[in-house]
Every structure is written in C-alpha cells, then in structure tokens.
Amino acid sequence: MRDELAKIEWLRARFELDGPPSAAIVGIGDDAAVFDFGARPTIVTVDAHVEGTHFRPALISFRDLGWRAMTAAVSDVWAMGGAPSASVVALTLGPDLADASFEELIGGLDEAARATGARVIGGNLSRSSLVSITTTAFGRPIVEPVTRHGARPGDGVYVTGTLGTSSLGLAILEAEAQGLDGAEPFVARWRRPPNNGGAARALARVASAAIDVSDGLIQDLRHLCRASGVGATIRVDLLPLAPNHASLCEMLNLDPLTFALSGGEDYELLFTAAPSAEAGALGTKIGEIGEGSGVRAVDESGKFIAIQRAGYDHFS
Amino acid sequence: MRDELAKIEWLRARFELDGPPSAAIVGIGDDAAVFDFGARPTIVTVDAHVEGTHFRPALISFRDLGWRAMTAAVSDVWAMGGAPSASVVALTLGPDLADASFEELIGGLDEAARATGARVIGGNLSRSSLVSITTTAFGRPIVEPVTRHGARPGDGVYVTGTLGTSSLGLAILEAEAQGLDGAEPFVARWRRPPNNGGAARALARVASAAIDVSDGLIQDLRHLCRASGVGATIRVDLLPLAPNHASLCEMLNLDPLTFALSGGEDYELLFTAAPSAEAGALGTKIGEIGEGSGVRAVDESGKFIAIQRAGYDHFS
C-alpha cells in the first residue's frame, strides 16, 4: 500500500492531468491551496460523511461514497442559490485501505466535483479506525444568497425531485431487498444524490427562502420556518413520490408517508416562493406558508395528519 | 444532553454575542456561510484532529484540544505567508459527550480563532464513535503566497521557535513524567501550539519558500526541497532546543536529537531565505540550501549524522 507521501504524490498527479482548475493559483501539494474566489461574496459550507453514522461500507462502493460525500456538501451551496466553484476534502482512512479503494473514492469525489463545478483544490489525509470524508465546498451566489430567512405568508412551499426515495433505498438495502421489482432506483438514489445544479440556477431567481432536504422534509421545513418566523401547512397528498414507493413500502411492511415526511438524505431543494409558473416548473408545490409557527401536515380534505417523527437528529 | 438542534442554537447564540465577524454576510445556522474574501486570492487549507490518531482524550482537555485543532490548521495559512481570516469547523462527537465538554471544545476553538484572526463562520456536527475536529481555515496572502517551490541554492534554512518540544511533551505525557523538573513547558507546547501570526507577517516579506513543521523537521524539509528541486544540509549543533530538552531526554532515556530532527507537531515555521539580518531575527539559521536533492544532517565539523527516522507518516 502507498505510504502518505506516495498517496499525496498520486493525488497531485491525479488532479494535475488537465492542469490546475481555473482560478486555482496553488493546487494540491502545498501547505494550503490558493484560490481566486473573485470579487463577489463566497458561499462556504462543510459536510461530513462518517463510517457507521452516514454509511456502512458493506452498502456502498468507494466510488459511490465519493460521489455521495461531494454531492451532499455541494447541495448546501445549491440551497443557498449558489454555483459551486471549488472544494477541499479531508479524508480519514484505515491504515490497511487498499490503493484501489482509495483511488475509487477519489474518483467518485472528483467525478461529482466535475459534474457540479466544485473542482477539488486541496485536502488532508489522516489515518483513523473509521473512514470519513469531510468536504468543504465553495460557491458564488448566482444572484443573491438565498437564506432560510425569507419565507413570507402566502408563499408556496415547493420541492424538487421526490421525497423519501433515498431513505427508502437505504431501508431496502438494510432489509437486503434490493432484488424486489422497482427497488433499484431507490438504492441508486441513496448511493448517488441528485445533481441539482440546474435547479439551483432557477431557484436563485424565484425562491424567497431555501434549504436542502438532508434531515427530512418536516425537520428541514421547521428549520426554514423558524428562521423566517412563519408557519407552514403541507398537503400529504401532494408529496412527490418515486414510482413504486407505495408498493415497495407495502411489500416491506413500511409506512410510505413516514419516509416522505421524515426520510433524510434526499438532498432535494425545498424552497418557498410566491406562486408562479416558474416556481411550479422547478418543483412540486406541496403546501403553503402562513402566519404563526411550526409545520402541520394535512390531507386533501384538510384533516390533520399525525407526524410520527420529524427527521434525523445526530444527538437525540 | 442537548440534541442536535439545541447544540446548533447554542452555537448560533455563542458566536453572535459580538455580532457576526466582519465580512461574514451569513454566519452560523444556515445551509452555508457567506463570506466576503475580498478581491485578493484566498488561502484555503483543511486539517483534521482525530481521536486515537492525533490525540487521546486522557492527555488533553477539551479546551486545549479546541485550541490545538484550530492553531494547527491556521499554521498552514501562516506557512503560506498569509493572514488568517475565517474558518469552518466540522465536529464529530460521541452521542454521550457532556454539554460542558462540548462548550469547552468550542471555547478553545473560538479562543484560538480570535487569537489568530480566523473567526469561526460555520461548521457541521455529526455523531460518531470518535471525536474529531476538521478545520478549514482561510486567509489572505500578506504579500504574495509563499509556496514550497521557491528555495534556491545559497538560501539559508531557518526555523522559528524550538524543535522537538511538542513531541517530547507528548512523550513526557505518555510516560506519565509530567512531574519532572522543567517538563511543564514541553507538555504545554504539545497541548497548545504556538501563535505564529507575527512571524508569518515577517516571513511573508523575507522567505523564498516555507512550510510548517507538522511531520518533523527532516520530513518537512524534504517536502520543501523536493518541491523546489534543491537539496539541504542541516547543522545538528544549530538546532534550537527548549531549555531542559537534553536533561529531560536523559532522564527518560530518549534520544534528544531524534526529537529535534523528527518530532512532529511543533507547528513552527520552517523557511528558506537569502541570509539577512531580518531572516536571522525571525528564526534560527540551521542550515543551507544547495544543488542536488535530499536532506543531510552534519555536525559542527561537517561529519554526517545518521537520521533515525524522517518523521511521521500516516500510512507507513
């Protein structure tokens, strides 16, 4: 297995194949990278993927793990209405990780970075008993930063893509049920979160507030409502679900609504906007912002639906 | 114990006491921070502190651990000839970490950040079975970035502070010998790396190349020489040692020279410069850059000294 220096040399060569990323003045291999973020404000976010907490190695390839870690971090840039520009990645690796696995992990990180625009400009390697990937991602506001603070009564609540798909995919893997008809797209979504770069460009122009769905719809909408000082009502019959969501849940004896309301790691964009054709083209309208506080779920007839659990909390 | 949301609320309040850091447009509590790095290029570095690899909780308080993690990351900004400006911190914490310990850790991170100028503008919390602190630090070049590439034959090799002090401090702790006369400053140096902000300002004006001593003098000087395409000769009799270095090594039956040549985590600044009074005032001249490659150690009479080990490698 390559030692630390050999790993760094490999990384330097690996990332210099096409020359340094534009605007990177010093790339991999020095004490620090130097990057020209330009004159506009810079969006900065950091996200961790930790073995045993965010993934078990048995459930995901190193390549997909790299894609997942990078895309999850970049998702926060999109949720701020930003265009990703660069990233630095800190890895902790077991002392006996095979070089091929290391290369696959880096390949997945780089593949996702290139797909999103967040070119890898630096990083750090440490030994640990756990694999972890901590990704700091940078971007520029496409228009102005879209915070969680701007939702106003009368705004619609919209979400891109589908809800609960990723968490149902993980449940399918945990149940070793990936052979079921229609299960594969759910597993694939858990392993590879979506590239929402195009959605972020539209979002930057229409959204009054935004957040990405990482903890679960209800929990993340609560964050947004709390920051904006408003409340929200969600229509459970309007929640966008992937094909076969209900039938797979039935086969596995799982509650389809709990996954949609509380399943984390969809990394879809949840945003509020004055109702418009453009907002409706970007995402599914699932509810409305009102006065007050908190998030309520109702059915088609307006009857309240009990929320089993809000979403994922690392420390409860 | 506070749940995740309560931790984040505490952090938001903790870091808003004095208002958001200047140039931070969006601070803690949104998907990402937004920071105005200004028109000049930005220095970006990431560094990890992982339980079991970089520290054992029995040997360091949470407050010192926070200081250590932040200062070690910022050290790379200084080694690039930069002035620190901001940082984002990703923490992994055990599910049962006491709130008081969490607050001490944050207190140490914030204390070091304020001491160095790298105000904390964002971060991430995850549960894990290991405590880890991954710090991304930002800065601006004071003049131009000082890379590892600029050393030229005829340059002197200089180092700030003392060598092997931190690693001897750790050895003292591991031997439970902190009660020995004169041991305390070594232990304190391992727990709290130096603030080299003033040295970095001078370094930015005189250094042809620089690196911080994190892996050990020989190993880090090899990195610098390889990047610059030069060789170096070090005079072992000129290495700056802290008071009582030799006597403590003798009491503990340790080799004083191995700590000076190969001990890691001093976080002092190792730089090359055309010999001058200003360079000599900034650091101790310990050798010279020459043609060729590699690092040699010699004594006062020019006799070669065998190097036992180069320094720390995470993967060998």
Side-chain angles (χ1 to χ4, degrees):
Chain A
M1 199 194 62
R2 294 189 190 99
D3 65 12
E4 185 178 358
L5 184 59
K7 278 188 170 62
I8 292 168
E9 289 292 343
W10 182 86
L11 285 166
R12 182 168 17 211
R14 169 76 176 70
F15 284 95
E16 275 188 355
L17 278 177
D18 306 325
S22 62
I25 294 157
V26 177
I28 290 166
D30 217 300
D31 295 293
V34 182
F35 194 78
D36 187 351
F37 287 112
R40 277 200 287 182
T42 300
I43 296 166
V44 184
T45 184
V46 60
D47 192 67
H49 255 66
V50 180
E51 180 178 343
T53 300
H54 300 89
F55 67 92
R56 286 196 293 127
L59 301 186
I60 190 165
S61 69
F62 278 97
R63 189 156 199 104
D64 285 348
L65 180 60
W67 172 283
R68 187 172 210 275
M70 178 61 68
T71 308
V74 166
S75 178
D76 283 324
V77 174
W78 290 323
M80 293 295 284
S85 58
S87 67
V88 295
V89 182
L91 300 174
T92 68
L93 306 170
D96 52 0
L97 184 76
D99 287 339
S101 301
F102 175 71
E103 292 178 15
E104 282 294 293
L105 177 60
I106 297 294
L109 282 162
D110 189 35
E111 184 190 354
R114 285 169 189 271
T116 65
R119 296 284 294 274
V120 178
I121 61 168
N124 188 72
L125 294 177
S126 300
R127 180 172 50 81
S128 175
S129 55
L130 297 177
V131 171
S132 74
I133 307 116
T134 305
T135 306
T136 305
F138 307 98
R140 295 181 189 186
I142 295 163
V143 185
E144 292 290 322
V146 179
T147 69
R148 300 176 180 177
H149 295 80
R152 294 291 166 262
D155 282 353
V157 177
Y158 298 84
V159 68
T160 61
T162 58
L163 288 167
T165 312
S166 171
S167 52
L168 183 50
L170 178 57
I172 289 166
L173 279 173
E174 297 279 10
E176 297 183 9
Q178 53 266 47
L180 289 177
D181 269 359
E184 194 279 333
F186 291 81
V187 170
R189 178 43 43 99
W190 179 74
R191 287 179 174 151
R192 292 211 164 204
N195 183 332
N196 273 319
R201 282 191 292 278
L203 182 149
R205 278 181 290 273
V206 305
S208 53
I211 189 171
D212 67 331
V213 182
S214 53
D215 294 338
L217 171 67
I218 296 296
Q219 183 128 312
D220 288 314
L221 187 53
R222 280 182 184 165
H223 294 324
L224 187 151
C225 285
R226 190 178 296 110
S228 293
V230 298
T233 303
I234 292 300
R235 278 266 302 275
V236 296
D237 59 302
L238 300 180
L239 300 180
L241 305 177
N244 303 309
H245 182 106
S247 61
L248 283 163
C249 283
E250 196 179 339
M251 282 189 270
L252 294 164
N253 199 24
L254 299 169
D255 177 36
L257 189 57
T258 296
F259 281 89
L261 290 174
S262 312
E265 304 190 313
D266 279 316
Y267 299 109
E268 293 292 352
L269 299 173
L270 176 66
F271 64 98
T272 60
S276 73
E278 201 179 353
L282 173 57
T284 303
K285 185 165 180 287
I286 60 171
E288 283 189 351
I289 296 296
E291 307 280 354
S293 67
V295 174
R296 289 156 298 281
V298 300
D299 69 11
E300 209 172 340
S301 67
K303 199 181 76 173
F304 284 101
I305 303 289
I307 295 166
Q308 302 299 319
R309 60 182 179 90
Y312 190 75
D313 185 312
H314 274 279
F315 300 99
S316 72
Chain B
M1 199 194 62
R2 294 189 190 99
D3 66 11
E4 183 178 359
L5 185 58
K7 277 187 170 63
I8 293 168
E9 289 292 343
W10 182 86
L11 285 166
R12 180 165 20 208
R14 170 77 176 67
F15 283 94
E16 276 188 355
L17 279 177
D18 306 324
S22 62
I25 294 158
V26 176
I28 290 167
D30 216 299
D31 296 293
V34 182
F35 195 79
D36 187 350
F37 288 110
R40 279 201 285 182
T42 300
I43 297 167
V44 183
T45 184
V46 60
D47 192 67
H49 255 65
V50 180
E51 179 178 343
T53 301
H54 300 89
F55 67 92
R56 286 196 294 127
L59 301 187
I60 189 165
S61 70
F62 278 97
R63 190 155 197 104
D64 285 348
L65 181 60
W67 172 283
R68 187 173 211 275
M70 178 61 69
T71 308
V74 166
S75 178
D76 282 324
V77 173
W78 289 324
M80 294 295 285
S85 58
S87 66
V88 295
V89 182
L91 299 175
T92 69
L93 306 170
D96 52 0
L97 184 76
D99 287 338
S101 301
F102 175 70
E103 292 177 17
E104 282 294 293
L105 178 60
I106 296 295
L109 283 161
D110 189 35
E111 183 191 354
R114 285 170 190 271
T116 64
R119 296 286 294 274
V120 177
I121 61 168
N124 189 72
L125 294 177
S126 300
R127 182 172 49 79
S128 176
S129 55
L130 297 177
V131 171
S132 74
I133 306 117
T134 306
T135 306
T136 306
F138 307 98
R140 294 182 190 185
I142 295 164
V143 186
E144 292 291 322
V146 179
T147 68
R148 300 175 181 178
H149 295 78
R152 294 290 167 262
D155 282 354
V157 177
Y158 298 84
V159 68
T160 61
T162 58
L163 289 167
T165 313
S166 171
S167 53
L168 182 50
L170 178 58
I172 288 166
L173 279 173
E174 298 280 9
E176 297 184 9
Q178 55 266 45
L180 288 178
D181 269 359
E184 194 280 333
F186 291 81
V187 170
R189 178 43 42 101
W190 179 75
R191 288 179 174 151
R192 291 211 166 203
N195 183 333
N196 274 318
R201 280 192 293 278
L203 182 149
R205 277 181 291 273
V206 304
S208 54
I211 188 170
D212 67 332
V213 182
S214 53
D215 293 338
L217 170 68
I218 297 296
Q219 183 130 311
D220 289 314
L221 187 54
R222 280 183 184 165
H223 294 324
L224 187 151
C225 285
R226 189 179 295 109
S228 293
V230 297
T233 304
I234 293 300
R235 279 265 303 275
V236 297
D237 58 302
L238 300 180
L239 301 180
L241 305 177
N244 303 308
H245 182 105
S247 60
L248 284 162
C249 283
E250 196 179 339
M251 281 191 271
L252 294 164
N253 198 25
L254 298 168
D255 177 36
L257 189 58
T258 296
F259 281 90
L261 290 174
S262 312
E265 304 190 314
D266 278 315
Y267 300 108
E268 294 293 351
L269 299 173
L270 177 67
F271 64 99
T272 59
S276 72
E278 200 179 353
L282 174 56
T284 303
K285 184 164 181 284
I286 59 172
E288 283 191 351
I289 296 295
E291 307 280 354
S293 66
V295 174
R296 287 155 301 280
V298 299
D299 68 11
E300 210 172 340
S301 68
K303 199 183 77 173
F304 284 101
I305 303 288
I307 295 166
Q308 302 300 318
R309 59 182 179 90
Y312 190 75
D313 185 311
H314 275 280
F315 299 100
S316 71

mmCIF file of all heavy atoms in Angstrom, chain B residues 6 27 55 58 83 131 233 243 267:
data_model
loop_
_atom_site.group_PDB
_atom_site.id
_atom_site.type_symbol
_atom_site.label_atom_id
_atom_site.label_comp_id
_atom_site.label_asym_id
_atom_site.label_seq_id
_atom_site.Cartn_x
_atom_site.Cartn_y
_atom_site.Cartn_z
ATOM 1 N N ALA B 6 -30.577 21.853 19.509
ATOM 2 C CA ALA B 6 -30.221 22.686 20.664
ATOM 3 C C ALA B 6 -28.735 23.047 20.631
ATOM 4 O O ALA B 6 -28.345 24.150 20.996
ATOM 5 C CB ALA B 6 -30.571 21.965 21.961
ATOM 6 N N GLY B 27 -23.816 33.987 8.740
ATOM 7 C CA GLY B 27 -23.000 33.228 9.692
ATOM 8 C C GLY B 27 -23.592 31.866 9.994
ATOM 9 O O GLY B 27 -24.273 31.270 9.151
ATOM 10 N N PHE B 55 -4.687 12.523 19.052
ATOM 11 C CA PHE B 55 -4.747 12.759 20.496
ATOM 12 C C PHE B 55 -5.511 11.619 21.164
ATOM 13 O O PHE B 55 -6.306 10.936 20.530
ATOM 14 C CB PHE B 55 -5.452 14.094 20.796
ATOM 15 C CG PHE B 55 -6.919 14.083 20.421
ATOM 16 C CD1 PHE B 55 -7.886 13.724 21.365
ATOM 17 C CD2 PHE B 55 -7.326 14.394 19.140
ATOM 18 C CE1 PHE B 55 -9.232 13.698 21.014
ATOM 19 C CE2 PHE B 55 -8.667 14.359 18.788
ATOM 20 C CZ PHE B 55 -9.623 14.016 19.723
ATOM 21 N N ALA B 58 -7.448 11.334 27.268
ATOM 22 C CA ALA B 58 -6.862 11.342 28.617
ATOM 23 C C ALA B 58 -5.731 12.353 28.741
ATOM 24 O O ALA B 58 -5.391 12.768 29.848
ATOM 25 C CB ALA B 58 -6.348 9.940 28.966
ATOM 26 N N ALA B 83 -2.379 35.885 6.282
ATOM 27 C CA ALA B 83 -3.047 36.354 7.495
ATOM 28 C C ALA B 83 -4.392 35.654 7.574
ATOM 29 O O ALA B 83 -5.217 35.788 6.665
ATOM 30 C CB ALA B 83 -3.243 37.867 7.436
ATOM 31 N N VAL B 131 -14.215 11.229 18.571
ATOM 32 C CA VAL B 131 -14.206 12.688 18.490
ATOM 33 C C VAL B 131 -13.236 13.096 17.384
ATOM 34 O O VAL B 131 -12.116 12.583 17.310
ATOM 35 C CB VAL B 131 -13.761 13.320 19.828
ATOM 36 C CG1 VAL B 131 -13.544 14.818 19.683
ATOM 37 C CG2 VAL B 131 -14.790 13.029 20.922
ATOM 38 N N THR B 233 21.441 21.006 3.636
ATOM 39 C CA THR B 233 22.304 20.468 4.686
ATOM 40 C C THR B 233 21.964 21.177 5.992
ATOM 41 O O THR B 233 21.930 22.406 6.050
ATOM 42 C CB THR B 233 23.795 20.713 4.344
ATOM 43 O OG1 THR B 233 24.062 20.131 3.062
ATOM 44 C CG2 THR B 233 24.694 20.088 5.401
ATOM 45 N N PRO B 243 14.776 24.954 26.754
ATOM 46 C CA PRO B 243 15.553 24.672 27.967
ATOM 47 C C PRO B 243 15.165 23.318 28.554
ATOM 48 O O PRO B 243 13.982 22.969 28.582
ATOM 49 C CB PRO B 243 15.155 25.814 28.915
ATOM 50 C CG PRO B 243 14.732 26.932 28.014
ATOM 51 C CD PRO B 243 14.111 26.271 26.811
ATOM 52 N N TYR B 267 4.551 22.783 14.818
ATOM 53 C CA TYR B 267 3.845 23.888 14.164
ATOM 54 C C TYR B 267 4.650 25.176 14.194
ATOM 55 O O TYR B 267 4.111 26.264 14.309
ATOM 56 C CB TYR B 267 2.431 24.072 14.736
ATOM 57 C CG TYR B 267 1.598 22.820 14.540
ATOM 58 C CD1 TYR B 267 1.264 21.991 15.605
ATOM 59 C CD2 TYR B 267 1.210 22.443 13.258
ATOM 60 C CE1 TYR B 267 0.542 20.821 15.404
ATOM 61 C CE2 TYR B 267 0.497 21.278 13.049
ATOM 62 C CZ TYR B 267 0.166 20.475 14.130
ATOM 63 O OH TYR B 267 -0.545 19.323 13.919
#
